[in-house]
Amino acid sequence: MTEDQSSVETVEDEVEQVEAVDEVDADESDVAEGETEEVEDDDAEDEDGESKPSVARLENEGDIAADYLEELLDIADLDGDIDLDVESDRALVAVVGGGLDHLVGADGEVLEALQELTRLAVYRETGERSRLMLDIAGHRAQRRSDLITLTEKIVEEVRSTGQAVKLEPMSPFERKVVHDTVAAKGLTSESEGEEPERRVVVQPA
């Protein structure tokens, strides 16, 4: 067995563990699923009327996430540096380094699973749901850039034709990027459909 295969199996074992925990406590944690509207709607208050988290709380989430990811990298015998930041009322955690592409997976599927694992690790420590964003090997940063370029083209198409345009199904992270870009261009957008087919529709002004 190669080192890469061993690393992937380690991650897969972690994913199976979180799925088992979520089946037992899904309603309480609400970490592994049901994030769609929470991620897309950055209102001043959440559904329970709680105020936005403090910077100190978000920094603590980042520290907990970093500890968890460092342990996971050690178990998988992988090298990577962890960068922490706070932006838009959420903790940003980035794992950077070479040879990490298999932790991203096809279409970011492994990355999404690792993000939920990391959020669950924070929940276990704090008892609070986390909206932290995890990036590995710059995947989300590149995807964000690509989506902004695509959305700007879609906005111009909608303006010129006056017709709404439906985009392909996207993850909550991707839809959030599209919504923000559309809003910055002065148009409106909405999400429709159910996961995993939920998508953004860009509307004419």
Side-chain angles (χ1 to χ4, degrees), residues 140-152:
R140 288 197 196 278
Q142 183 61 53
R143 182 59 175 153
R144 179 189 295 274
S145 177
D146 293 343
L147 281 171
I148 289 173
T149 300
L150 170 65
T151 304
E152 289 175 343

Side-chain angles (χ1 to χ4, degrees), residues 12 94 104:
E12 289 176 344
V104 175

Side-chain angles (χ1 to χ4, degrees), residues 115-167:
Q115 176 172 277
E116 301 311 328
L117 283 166
T118 307
R119 287 177 172 179
L120 183 58
V122 172
Y123 175 78
R124 284 170 170 165
E125 288 286 330
T126 66
E128 301 284 349
R129 290 183 298 174
S130 173
R131 297 172 61 248
L132 72 81
M133 186 70 69
L134 174 65
D135 194 8
I136 296 177
H139 174 80
R140 288 197 196 278
Q142 183 61 53
R143 182 59 175 153
R144 179 189 295 274
S145 177
D146 293 343
L147 281 171
I148 289 173
T149 300
L150 170 65
T151 304
E152 289 175 343
K153 292 179 180 179
I154 296 296
V155 166
E156 292 306 314
E157 177 183 344
V158 171
R159 279 182 173 152
S160 64
T161 65
Q163 300 295 317
V165 172
K166 291 184 179 181
L167 280 70

Side-chain angles (χ1 to χ4, degrees), residues 41-198:
D41 298 326
D42 283 334
D43 296 329
E45 296 186 340
D46 65 18
E47 295 176 354
D48 298 324
E50 297 176 357
S51 60
K52 290 183 178 181
S54 66
V55 173
R57 171 181 159 181
L58 296 176
E59 290 177 342
N60 183 51
E61 287 186 7
D63 290 338
I64 294 171
D67 290 341
Y68 171 77
L69 290 167
E70 285 175 354
E71 182 177 353
L72 184 61
L73 289 173
D74 286 342
I75 293 173
D77 195 24
L78 295 171
D79 293 326
D81 295 325
I82 299 177
D83 294 336
L84 303 177
D85 200 357
V86 171
E87 181 181 300
S88 300
D89 303 307
R90 74 177 64 207
L92 302 182
V93 183
V95 182
V96 296
L100 299 175
D101 289 346
H102 55 286
L103 294 185
V104 175
D107 298 322
E109 290 181 356
V110 177
L111 171 58
E112 292 294 337
L114 287 173
Q115 176 172 277
E116 301 311 328
L117 283 166
T118 307
R119 287 177 172 179
L120 183 58
V122 172
Y123 175 78
R124 284 170 170 165
E125 288 286 330
T126 66
E128 301 284 349
R129 290 183 298 174
S130 173
R131 297 172 61 248
L132 72 81
M133 186 70 69
L134 174 65
D135 194 8
I136 296 177
H139 174 80
R140 288 197 196 278
Q142 183 61 53
R143 182 59 175 153
R144 179 189 295 274
S145 177
D146 293 343
L147 281 171
I148 289 173
T149 300
L150 170 65
T151 304
E152 289 175 343
K153 292 179 180 179
I154 296 296
V155 166
E156 292 306 314
E157 177 183 344
V158 171
R159 279 182 173 152
S160 64
T161 65
Q163 300 295 317
V165 172
K166 291 184 179 181
L167 280 70
E168 64 184 12
M170 296 180 180
S171 69
F173 159 74
E174 293 170 327
R175 293 195 300 269
K176 179 67 167 59
V177 173
V178 174
H179 286 311
D180 288 349
T181 305
V182 171
K185 293 295 183 178
L187 294 187
T188 60
S189 59
E190 60 184 19
S191 293
E192 67 174 28
E194 302 295 330
E195 300 290 3
E197 297 299 316
R198 194 162 173 80

